[in-house]
Amino acid sequence: MTAPCRHVGLTRWVEEAAAMCRPQQIYWCDGSREEYDRLMALMVESGTATPLAKRPNSFLFRSDPSDVARIEARTYLSTLTPEEAGPTNNWIDPGELKKTMKSLYDGCMKGRTMYIIPFSMGPIGSPLAKIGVQISDSPYVVCNMHLMTRVGSRVLEALGTEGEFIPCLHSIGAPLEPGQHDVHWPCAPIENKYISHFPQENLIWSYGSGYGGNALLGKKCLSLRIASSIARREGWLAEHMLILRLISPEGRKYHIAGAFPSACGKTNLAMIQPTLPGWKAETIGDDICWMKIRPDGRLHAINPETGFFGVAPGTSYRSNPTAAEMLKENAIFTNCALTDKGDVWWEDTDGPVPKHLIDWKGWDWTPESEEPAAHPNARFTSHISQCRSAAGDWEDPEGVPIDIFLFGGRRSTVIPLVFESFSWDHGVFLGATASSESTAAILDKVAPVRHDPFAMKPFCGYNMGDYFLHWLETGDRLGKNAPRIFYVNWFRKNDDGRWLWPGFGENSRVLKWMCDRVDGKVGARETPIGLIPEEEDLDLSGLSVPPGDMEELLKVDTEAWKAEYFDIEVFFDRLGSHLPERLDAQRKALRERLRHF
Ligand code: SAT
Ligand code: MN
């Protein structure tokens, strides 16, 4: 196929990549429905995709067992010096990394098609949008990119002859020799997987993995790692946040942006159905949030994506009815189990556990089997147009003005249900010291509880200390227009392992308290860690929480916090001279407050 491209730089880059990767053919994606259907049909024919009898136009994929999640240990930030990447990123010298990867890319697409995927993160033509072009040898990636981003000819048109684009080179790293039989999920062994970022050149090179954030390069690689480093230079924010609009019974709109680590309920919260009478919620995004200070002096947010790549296990009519409805058709499922009737299944979904399934590895499964039927990081991909709670104006290029920031993680102990920061600096401190228990969204084993500042530990494209400073300075620029900052933890358990808070739609009660705080309508109790609601400050009408649970959820255990403080100190020390003084002051102030409590 001849290139439909009039952009000299892009044409040259594609030619160079083709000379290196040596694909059998090159194909320029137009982003059409016909293209999506054709590639899906191709993958069904090759046995890679299984069409689902029970869900129209939906397909199941099973990945290689080595390729089931992001791999942080194989993810690199290749800045000129290790200091620019900072202690939370893996660093390799750019020259060395490129040399290693070039030898892997050499001939890596033999026997395969090289797809050129022009895509836009953010509405095409919007001043907030960024254009990327992904080269990939995975048709699975092409179809997912269709749902997750704006793909195709319209992007090439917007790019014109010399527009700026972010080159994203991706190969699954599995050349096919003539006559060689292909496997259902070709990829490279772990030690050859590289997910590499070169922020100085706005360049992404990914090799060896076909899964999620490793392979859909518009997502974590471009919209977070590269975008965060651009945002720092240009004075905006690229964050790992959901965007939610909450509407009060009186019709007042509140916009909330929330940072939680992968697999900590961002998608559920973004699609919340408030249980409080009269309250409504609309989804704007579930994973990535780009924010700029606009002429009104406020921070406006857009969701650069167009779809959801969500964790399937746990998704049900109880946890997320909107997602359950959304997935009835036109969805891609990866590493879910397959029922005998041709439907997908995963743990903690609705209805009885089937007597027989094909598990995510393709084996027979029965309730007696020891392993879960779906991989814990099994995913669905769905376009936002399928989501009934999507805001009508979710694509507004102006974005929505943020009123409230949420930080949090998954912590079964210590951290209360909710607290508010004393100030912007204290709020940045809360974001900086956020922590979470490990989830299945990363392949590597991490500590049972790890610090995940702003939920950006795996996604920050520069030195984390400098990132904190960027947040502090953004607050200075916002002044009185700065959003209020809260910390939440939906995941508290009691000593018997029972959840203390019902979560899901009931979280609207906590969100309402925040909205009332913004409007100065409700009180809070001052504690060493922040401002906590009294039980009567929360609207708990119609909710029956076992006696004592609310007290436990809103309590500050000073002794436990002293241990927590120690962890914060160790983490901050790692940032050395890059730790902003203002955050160090916050650390000391917390120590003093804990001492005197
Ligand atoms: O695989 S992804 O990086 O897209 C999902 C996640 O970890 O948040
Ligand atoms: Mn995420």
Side-chain angles (χ1 to χ4, degrees), residues 70 211-214 219-220 240 262-263 287 309 377 379 441 459:
R70 282 183 296 106
Y211 205 90
N214 300 335
K219 198 172 180 54
K220 309 299 185 177
H240 189 207
S262 303
D287 197 40
F309 183 67
N377 192 42
R379 295 273 171 165
F459 308 121

Side-chain angles (χ1 to χ4, degrees), residues 411 413-416 429 433 451 528-529 555-571 587-597:
R411 291 291 304 271
T413 61
V414 186
I415 315 285
F429 178 76
T433 55
H451 283 288
I529 62 163
K555 161 176 118 183
V556 179
D557 178 342
T558 331
E559 286 316 305
W561 272 93
K562 284 181 182 158
E564 197 78 14
Y565 172 83
F566 179 74
D567 286 346
I568 293 171
E569 198 154 66
V570 171
F571 172 62
R587 175 184 68 78
K588 289 184 180 130
L590 171 63
R591 189 181 57 193
E592 287 311 302
R593 291 194 301 269
L594 285 171
R595 189 177 285 162
H596 294 117
F597 192 57

Side-chain angles (χ1 to χ4, degrees), residues 133-208:
V133 180
Q134 178 163 352
I135 291 178
S136 175
D137 50 3
S138 161
Y140 167 83
V141 163
V142 177
C143 288
N144 275 275
M145 290 291 282
H146 267 232
L147 299 181
M148 297 303 297
T149 73
R150 301 153 176 95
V151 167
S153 319
R154 340 176 257 151
V155 179
L156 285 184
E157 273 157 38
L159 203 52
T161 52
E162 50 201 50
E164 235 182 277
F165 72 97
I166 298 170
C168 311
L169 177 58
H170 171 247
S171 171
I172 52 176
L176 259 190
E177 300 302 333
Q180 185 184 343
H181 177 70
D182 205 2
V183 292
H184 73 279
W185 185 278
C187 64
I190 292 206
E191 65 277 14
N192 282 348
K193 295 190 209 283
Y194 286 86
I195 297 93
S196 304
H197 309 75
F198 303 91
Q200 266 88 5
E201 301 167 73
N202 287 347
L203 177 67
I204 299 163
W205 279 9
S206 168
Y207 183 90

Side-chain angles (χ1 to χ4, degrees), residues 512-524:
K512 178 186 176 207
W513 177 72
M514 296 175 192
C515 297
D516 287 346
R517 289 291 298 164
V518 168
D519 293 339
K521 290 205 288 207
V522 70

